[in-house]
Amino acid sequence: MEHSGQKEQLLRPEEIEAESFRIIKQELEAMGVSLPEDRDLLIRRVIHTTADFSYADTMRFSEGAVGILQELLRQGARIVTDTQMAMAGINKRKLAAFGCEAYCFMSDPDVAEEAKARETTRAVVSMERAAALEGPVVYVIGNAPTALLRLRDMILRGTYRPAFIVGVPVGFVNVEYAKECIMALDVPYIVNAGRKGGSNVAAAIVNAVLYSL
């Protein structure tokens, strides 16, 4: 078996993460990439999660997005995800420290029943359920472009306004279009342009902001 020439490093988990972030920073610098200070750790955490340096080029932020999301989390905003995986990936201890709660309605039996009766997706019904939550709501979407499109429709009709949207669904159908729609709205967002994303990326973004507080 051929090896890359690297030697095994015996490190504790926290040392592995620190070393990974150091390597990412070093490789970005070698590429001539300089990340804005307020987005640096967030983008590096996404790269750490995916081992994909293209995120340094494709992540998109509305004006002051990171600061806005920090303040929402400090105030105990509710988090709504479109997958159980994204919700599981968000650091619950950090959320609880700020009085935040995370929700995912996708697996609720009544959501599935309503979606079937209306011939729509569970993501659409889930977004409508989430809109009934009190207080500011941060939407963390890593899988379903239809969730983003339903949010867009409610915003354009003036029936609902989310506090923040993390829009990083992955895939090929409606994904790029849905992200472009969110970026055209007057709502704070963090979006990854293009086809890439996923529940792990969505959770990584929220965790990066939580860890910065």
Side-chain angles (χ1 to χ4, degrees):
M1 182 183 293
E2 293 185 2
H3 297 278
S4 65
Q6 294 182 342
K7 294 181 180 180
E8 180 179 358
Q9 295 175 283
L10 300 177
L11 301 170
R12 295 191 298 271
E14 63 272 19
E15 293 174 327
I16 292 172
E17 180 169 286
E19 176 64 2
S20 297
F21 272 69
R22 185 195 67 78
I23 291 170
I24 292 167
K25 185 176 183 66
Q26 182 181 61
E27 293 196 19
L28 286 170
E29 289 174 351
M31 297 173 192
V33 177
S34 178
L35 299 173
E37 184 177 353
D38 63 329
R39 307 171 188 177
D40 178 32
L41 286 176
L42 187 153
I43 293 174
R44 279 198 283 151
R45 182 161 292 279
V46 171
I47 294 172
H48 175 256
T49 298
T50 61
D52 187 341
F53 281 84
S54 71
Y55 283 95
D57 296 320
T58 56
M59 293 290 292
R60 303 286 184 263
F61 300 77
S62 61
E63 185 175 355
V66 174
I68 291 170
L69 185 51
Q70 286 175 327
E71 189 57 32
L72 285 166
L73 294 175
R74 284 194 190 99
Q75 294 174 1
R78 298 173 188 269
I79 308 293
V80 171
T81 70
D82 67 328
T83 63
Q84 296 292 341
M85 183 183 296
M87 186 169 73
I90 297 172
N91 188 310
K92 304 302 186 301
R93 182 179 61 82
K94 284 285 189 180
L95 280 181
F98 295 101
C100 300
E101 292 184 66
Y103 302 82
C104 181
F105 301 108
M106 292 289 283
S107 300
D108 291 4
D110 57 337
V111 167
E113 290 173 10
E114 183 175 340
K116 183 177 180 180
R118 291 170 52 187
E119 297 185 341
T120 188
T121 68
R122 287 179 298 159
V124 166
V125 178
S126 292
M127 295 303 101
E128 294 168 354
R129 295 289 173 90
L133 293 171
E134 295 182 1
V137 180
V138 175
Y139 288 82
V140 182
I141 310 301
N143 186 67
T146 52
L148 294 182
L149 293 174
R150 185 65 184 119
L151 288 172
R152 174 207 60 182
D153 291 345
M154 290 190 287
I155 293 166
L156 291 178
R157 291 173 184 169
T159 58
Y160 182 67
R161 180 181 172 84
F164 199 98
I165 298 174
V166 175
V168 291
V170 59
F172 299 92
V173 179
N174 285 330
V175 168
E176 293 175 275
Y177 172 71
K179 292 173 179 178
E180 290 167 1
C181 287
I182 294 304
M183 290 189 285
L185 298 170
D186 183 26
V187 171
Y189 65 79
I190 297 174
V191 165
N192 186 60
R195 295 171 171 176
K196 293 182 180 180
S199 297
N200 58 336
V201 174
I205 289 169
V206 176
N207 285 338
V209 178
L210 282 171
Y211 298 154
S212 73
L213 299 178

